[in-house]
Amino acid sequence: MEMQKVQNLMVTGGCGFIGSNFIHYILDKTDFGGRIINVDKLTYAGNPENLIEIEKMYPGRYIFERADICDFDVIRELFLRYEVDAICHFAAESHVDRSIKKPGAFIYTNIIGTYNLLETARAHSEQFVLFHHISTDEVYGSLGKRGLFKETTPYRPNSPYSASKASSDHLVRAYYKTFGLPVTISNCSNNYGPYQFPEKLIPLITLNAMEGKELPIYGDGKNVRDWLYVEDHCEAIWTIMNSGKRGQTYNIGGNMEMENIVIVQMICDILDEICFPDKGGPRRNLITFVKDRPGHDKRYAIDFTKLHKQLNWSPMESFETGLRKTIRWYINNKKWVERVNSGEYQSWIKEQYGG
Ligand code: NAD
Ligand code: TYD
């Protein structure tokens, strides 16, 4: 249980979707006794409002620093000031569609940013316990009808996003092999749950369906993703950080392969059950097939036997219950949704943090 020794855990990208869920999870649900230093640039995807309760509940144990992981001097200064002894690295540009329109930021943040963090950790490695790198199953490319991604599957990334994540994974591995930096890597399937920015499939469809807007489905809607509830992902990460073997990669998945169209239909039906629309009939009428995403990977599916057998982790949430919880969260957090959708959260960030 090496993480129990960690005093100062730097979490990068902690204001994003998975990072903020992870900080909630660590502080509320584990025996971690140290401090968390959340380093986030606050791009469009970062929202410190996700952690407002945490700030109030854990003064001194939760610290937020607005910073860009691409800025080497700032990262080094923070690392020294807080005597960081472990890093859990979430910060990334994470949306495939954006990487198709404008790949530049993906190259800087995902590759150069990761390199900066690795270099900083390497330069001060005496007391350094662990660099845990969060990655994606998308680095493995696309599957046909059968088969699963294993840790040994060759990398074949197809989008600028997945190519930039693949590059960062290789750098992390190289820092272990070449410099002996204590690292672990996890490659996870698609997450869903609270605080996800509404550009990704599940929140986008949920919010559009709530508002009676069109529900865009790329191509024929038969692309398959393997879905995992975000808290299950957080638990898997924490398990790997505590008990994973240094230098190893672990796949994380939900055993929950779903076609996009089926998910969209489920969201429509759950919302109809909660509140049937006044006009226009069932929400499935809002489904609109649109032009396919270029290079759209057909199918992702994860084999997480290694994590299950070696570290005894399995997902707890079923897709049906996880999806219902998620939809409820978006219904119950109307203010969060309004501020994100209207862009008001950005003015709030400007007021609080400048820039
Ligand atoms: P997100 O887009 O919601 O959050 C990313 C966070 O990183 C934001 O808070 C943003 O402000 C911050 N950030 C971006 N650039 C930065 C920079 N240069 N310096 C500092 N902070 C910066 O992403 P997410 O969905 O929470 O994903 C987190 C990690 O998990 C990413 O590494 C992603 O590749 C990986 N991942 C995501 C999924 C998924 O389904 N969302 C699945 C597998 C792996
Ligand atoms: P997304 O949530 O963007 O995650 P990723 O591309 O990382 O898997 O998309 C999930 C799937 O849903 C993917 O096959 C693309 C599809 N999709 C749509 O059909 N319509 C949409 O509006 C979005 C955002 C995604």
Side-chain angles (χ1 to χ4, degrees):
M1 286 287 167
E2 282 201 307
M3 290 310 294
Q4 279 176 350
K5 283 193 246 148
V6 168
Q7 290 302 307
N8 299 304
L9 171 62
M10 180 184 277
V11 173
T12 68
C15 294
F17 162 48
I18 307 176
S20 53
N21 277 284
F22 181 74
I23 292 174
H24 277 274
Y25 173 79
I26 293 300
L27 291 173
D28 289 341
K29 300 198 173 165
T30 74
D31 58 0
F32 177 67
R35 291 194 293 186
I36 287 185
I37 301 101
N38 174 13
V39 175
D40 197 300
K41 179 182 174 181
L42 302 183
T43 67
Y44 78 94
N47 189 352
E49 198 182 324
N50 301 354
L51 294 158
I52 258 179
E53 293 304 319
I54 291 287
E55 281 206 58
K56 282 189 209 139
M57 279 174 66
Y58 299 98
R61 286 197 58 211
Y62 170 75
I63 294 156
F64 173 62
E65 289 285 351
R66 186 179 194 180
D68 185 340
I69 56 165
C70 296
D71 189 333
F72 183 77
D73 293 337
V74 170
I75 292 300
R76 187 173 170 277
E77 192 278 316
L78 291 174
F79 195 92
L80 294 176
R81 184 176 357 137
Y82 291 110
E83 299 176 354
V84 169
D85 43 12
I87 295 178
C88 185
H89 175 34
F90 292 92
E93 287 292 337
S94 69
H95 190 40
V96 174
D97 292 324
R98 284 180 189 257
S99 84
I100 295 168
K101 287 196 193 101
K102 248 183 154 187
F106 289 71
I107 306 306
Y108 283 105
T109 289
N110 300 1
I111 305 177
I112 311 282
T114 302
Y115 158 75
N116 277 345
L117 292 164
L118 287 166
E119 263 306 89
T120 309
R122 173 171 89 89
H124 307 280
S125 59
E126 289 105 70
Q127 263 107 51
F128 194 73
V129 175
L130 180 68
F131 187 109
H132 182 73
H133 178 61
I134 309 293
S135 192
T136 165
D137 59 356
E138 301 192 26
V139 297
Y140 298 123
S142 186
L143 289 165
K145 281 210 168 71
R146 276 181 290 280
L148 299 169
F149 295 136
K150 295 183 193 305
E151 287 81 358
T152 50
T153 302
Y155 274 31
R156 280 202 188 90
N158 290 320
S159 71
Y161 163 66
S162 53
S164 65
K165 291 297 292 186
S167 310
S168 65
D169 295 8
H170 290 320
L171 280 170
V172 175
R173 185 186 141 84
Y175 270 66
Y176 171 74
K177 286 278 177 189
T178 307
F179 305 115
L181 190 75
V183 309
T184 42
I185 300 175
S186 53
N187 293 80
C188 187
S189 59
N190 286 58
N191 283 217
Y192 67 102
Y195 303 113
Q196 188 166 29
F197 195 81
E199 63 184 352
K200 304 272 167 72
L201 182 73
I202 289 182
L204 179 102
I205 296 296
T206 303
L207 297 184
N208 279 12
M210 276 161 65
E211 291 165 20
K213 291 185 185 160
E214 277 186 0
L215 311 177
I217 297 195
Y218 300 163
D220 61 5
K222 292 197 186 308
N223 299 65
V224 171
R225 300 290 182 264
D226 172 1
W227 293 89
L228 181 68
Y229 191 64
V230 65
E231 194 169 310
D232 278 330
H233 186 191
C234 295
E235 191 193 42
I237 294 166
W238 192 235
T239 303
I240 295 165
M241 289 178 78
N242 278 290
S243 316
K245 210 166 152 212
R246 299 323 183 223
Q248 293 285 307
T249 288
Y250 297 88
N251 279 352
I252 310 173
N255 225 350
M256 195 43 65
E257 285 185 54
M258 305 280 293
E259 284 184 351
N260 295 337
I261 180 72
V262 174
I263 296 179
V264 174
Q265 288 168 342
M266 281 176 79
I267 296 173
C268 289
D269 296 350
I270 293 171
L271 282 169
D272 285 355
E273 200 184 289
I274 296 170
C275 170
F276 200 82
D278 294 338
K279 286 183 277 185
R283 286 180 174 84
R284 284 186 184 211
N285 292 347
L286 299 167
I287 291 174
T288 311
F289 291 92
V290 299
K291 196 165 163 264
D292 208 356
R293 172 189 276 172
H296 195 177
D297 288 335
K298 189 70 187 170
R299 177 174 163 256
Y300 303 146
I302 278 272
D303 179 344
F304 60 88
T305 311
K306 179 176 175 183
L307 180 57
H308 176 62
K309 287 223 166 116
Q310 294 184 8
L311 307 185
N312 199 23
W313 176 88
S314 310
M316 301 300 287
E317 196 73 55
S318 77
F319 189 69
E320 169 83 22
T321 56
L323 188 62
R324 280 181 185 276
K325 269 192 199 172
T326 305
I327 291 173
R328 264 287 155 221
W329 188 88
Y330 282 94
I331 292 174
N332 292 342
N333 287 274
K334 281 215 170 66
K335 285 232 167 76
W336 184 94
V337 168
E338 269 165 33
R339 279 197 286 269
V340 167
N341 270 346
S342 67
E344 200 188 316
Y345 76 112
Q346 291 283 4
S347 333
W348 182 76
I349 287 171
K350 247 189 201 155
E351 267 168 41
Q352 301 283 318
Y353 306 100

